[in-house]
mmCIF file of all heavy atoms in Angstrom:
data_model
loop_
_atom_site.group_PDB
_atom_site.id
_atom_site.type_symbol
_atom_site.label_atom_id
_atom_site.label_comp_id
_atom_site.label_asym_id
_atom_site.label_seq_id
_atom_site.Cartn_x
_atom_site.Cartn_y
_atom_site.Cartn_z
ATOM 1 N N VAL A 65 -3.957 13.671 4.416
ATOM 2 C CA VAL A 65 -2.578 13.842 3.967
ATOM 3 C C VAL A 65 -1.989 15.038 4.691
ATOM 4 O O VAL A 65 -2.714 15.957 5.097
ATOM 5 C CB VAL A 65 -2.469 14.043 2.445
ATOM 6 C CG1 VAL A 65 -2.854 12.779 1.702
ATOM 7 C CG2 VAL A 65 -3.324 15.218 1.981
ATOM 8 N N GLU A 66 -0.688 15.023 4.876
ATOM 9 C CA GLU A 66 0.001 16.139 5.502
ATOM 10 C C GLU A 66 1.324 16.362 4.790
ATOM 11 O O GLU A 66 1.908 15.422 4.239
ATOM 12 C CB GLU A 66 0.236 15.840 6.989
ATOM 13 C CG GLU A 66 1.020 14.577 7.253
ATOM 14 C CD GLU A 66 1.093 14.228 8.733
ATOM 15 O OE1 GLU A 66 0.166 14.601 9.471
ATOM 16 O OE2 GLU A 66 2.084 13.586 9.138
ATOM 17 N N GLY A 67 1.760 17.609 4.778
ATOM 18 C CA GLY A 67 3.011 17.935 4.115
ATOM 19 C C GLY A 67 2.823 19.049 3.113
ATOM 20 O O GLY A 67 1.876 19.841 3.193
ATOM 21 N N THR A 68 3.714 19.120 2.141
ATOM 22 C CA THR A 68 3.695 20.209 1.161
ATOM 23 C C THR A 68 3.510 19.675 -0.247
ATOM 24 O O THR A 68 3.857 18.535 -0.551
ATOM 25 C CB THR A 68 5.019 20.995 1.209
ATOM 26 O OG1 THR A 68 6.115 20.104 0.886
ATOM 27 C CG2 THR A 68 5.250 21.575 2.591
ATOM 28 N N GLY A 69 2.941 20.521 -1.098
ATOM 29 C CA GLY A 69 2.811 20.185 -2.516
ATOM 30 C C GLY A 69 1.782 19.132 -2.815
ATOM 31 O O GLY A 69 1.856 18.474 -3.865
ATOM 32 N N VAL A 70 0.781 18.944 -1.936
ATOM 33 C CA VAL A 70 -0.226 17.912 -2.149
ATOM 34 C C VAL A 70 -1.611 18.490 -1.918
ATOM 35 O O VAL A 70 -1.826 19.313 -1.033
ATOM 36 C CB VAL A 70 0.030 16.703 -1.222
ATOM 37 C CG1 VAL A 70 -0.079 17.106 0.247
ATOM 38 C CG2 VAL A 70 -0.903 15.553 -1.537
ATOM 39 N N GLN A 71 -2.566 18.084 -2.762
ATOM 40 C CA GLN A 71 -3.936 18.536 -2.646
ATOM 41 C C GLN A 71 -4.709 17.646 -1.679
ATOM 42 O O GLN A 71 -4.290 16.527 -1.382
ATOM 43 C CB GLN A 71 -4.604 18.525 -4.026
ATOM 44 C CG GLN A 71 -3.938 19.443 -5.037
ATOM 45 C CD GLN A 71 -4.637 19.411 -6.385
ATOM 46 O OE1 GLN A 71 -5.742 18.894 -6.523
ATOM 47 N NE2 GLN A 71 -3.982 19.969 -7.395
ATOM 48 N N PRO A 72 -5.862 18.113 -1.178
ATOM 49 C CA PRO A 72 -6.679 17.282 -0.291
ATOM 50 C C PRO A 72 -7.099 15.985 -0.996
ATOM 51 O O PRO A 72 -7.345 15.981 -2.197
ATOM 52 C CB PRO A 72 -7.891 18.167 0.014
ATOM 53 C CG PRO A 72 -7.400 19.565 -0.203
ATOM 54 C CD PRO A 72 -6.421 19.478 -1.341
ATOM 55 N N PRO A 73 -7.193 14.889 -0.261
ATOM 56 C CA PRO A 73 -7.562 13.620 -0.892
ATOM 57 C C PRO A 73 -9.031 13.579 -1.290
ATOM 58 O O PRO A 73 -9.862 14.273 -0.710
ATOM 59 C CB PRO A 73 -7.260 12.592 0.206
ATOM 60 C CG PRO A 73 -7.394 13.352 1.481
ATOM 61 C CD PRO A 73 -6.925 14.747 1.174
ATOM 62 N N VAL A 82 -4.763 11.314 -4.274
ATOM 63 C CA VAL A 82 -4.271 12.679 -4.132
ATOM 64 C C VAL A 82 -3.392 13.020 -5.326
ATOM 65 O O VAL A 82 -2.723 12.147 -5.890
ATOM 66 C CB VAL A 82 -3.446 12.887 -2.838
ATOM 67 C CG1 VAL A 82 -4.299 12.708 -1.607
ATOM 68 C CG2 VAL A 82 -2.256 11.966 -2.796
ATOM 69 N N GLU A 83 -3.396 14.286 -5.697
ATOM 70 C CA GLU A 83 -2.494 14.785 -6.732
ATOM 71 C C GLU A 83 -1.408 15.606 -6.056
ATOM 72 O O GLU A 83 -1.699 16.491 -5.250
ATOM 73 C CB GLU A 83 -3.255 15.619 -7.755
ATOM 74 C CG GLU A 83 -4.281 14.812 -8.539
ATOM 75 C CD GLU A 83 -4.940 15.613 -9.642
ATOM 76 O OE1 GLU A 83 -4.202 16.182 -10.484
ATOM 77 O OE2 GLU A 83 -6.178 15.690 -9.647
ATOM 78 N N ALA A 84 -0.161 15.286 -6.381
ATOM 79 C CA ALA A 84 0.971 15.939 -5.729
ATOM 80 C C ALA A 84 1.874 16.596 -6.766
ATOM 81 O O ALA A 84 2.141 16.020 -7.829
ATOM 82 C CB ALA A 84 1.768 14.924 -4.911
ATOM 83 N N ALA A 85 2.344 17.786 -6.446
ATOM 84 C CA ALA A 85 3.201 18.549 -7.342
ATOM 85 C C ALA A 85 4.641 18.051 -7.246
ATOM 86 O O ALA A 85 5.031 17.387 -6.287
ATOM 87 C CB ALA A 85 3.142 20.030 -6.979
ATOM 88 N N GLY A 88 7.015 17.792 -3.906
ATOM 89 C CA GLY A 88 6.197 17.724 -2.711
ATOM 90 C C GLY A 88 6.753 16.720 -1.703
ATOM 91 O O GLY A 88 7.299 15.683 -2.083
ATOM 92 N N ALA A 89 6.623 17.044 -0.434
ATOM 93 C CA ALA A 89 7.050 16.144 0.643
ATOM 94 C C ALA A 89 5.830 15.888 1.514
ATOM 95 O O ALA A 89 5.403 16.765 2.268
ATOM 96 C CB ALA A 89 8.184 16.760 1.453
ATOM 97 N N TRP A 90 5.250 14.705 1.409
ATOM 98 C CA TRP A 90 3.976 14.466 2.081
ATOM 99 C C TRP A 90 3.808 13.004 2.495
ATOM 100 O O TRP A 90 4.552 12.130 2.053
ATOM 101 C CB TRP A 90 2.816 14.895 1.184
ATOM 102 C CG TRP A 90 2.733 14.160 -0.131
ATOM 103 C CD1 TRP A 90 3.402 14.455 -1.288
ATOM 104 C CD2 TRP A 90 1.947 12.998 -0.411
ATOM 105 N NE1 TRP A 90 3.082 13.558 -2.273
ATOM 106 C CE2 TRP A 90 2.180 12.650 -1.757
ATOM 107 C CE3 TRP A 90 1.053 12.218 0.336
ATOM 108 C CZ2 TRP A 90 1.565 11.566 -2.367
ATOM 109 C CZ3 TRP A 90 0.442 11.132 -0.267
ATOM 110 C CH2 TRP A 90 0.692 10.820 -1.601
ATOM 111 N N HIS A 91 2.814 12.779 3.357
ATOM 112 C CA HIS A 91 2.486 11.446 3.859
ATOM 113 C C HIS A 91 0.966 11.271 3.908
ATOM 114 O O HIS A 91 0.232 12.234 4.132
ATOM 115 C CB HIS A 91 3.017 11.240 5.282
ATOM 116 C CG HIS A 91 4.500 11.194 5.394
ATOM 117 N ND1 HIS A 91 5.294 12.329 5.321
ATOM 118 C CD2 HIS A 91 5.348 10.147 5.580
ATOM 119 C CE1 HIS A 91 6.562 11.978 5.471
ATOM 120 N NE2 HIS A 91 6.619 10.675 5.627
#
Side-chain angles (χ1 to χ4, degrees):
V65 292
E66 57 187 28
T68 61
V70 62
Q71 299 180 13
V82 295
E83 296 185 54
W90 61 275
H91 292 76

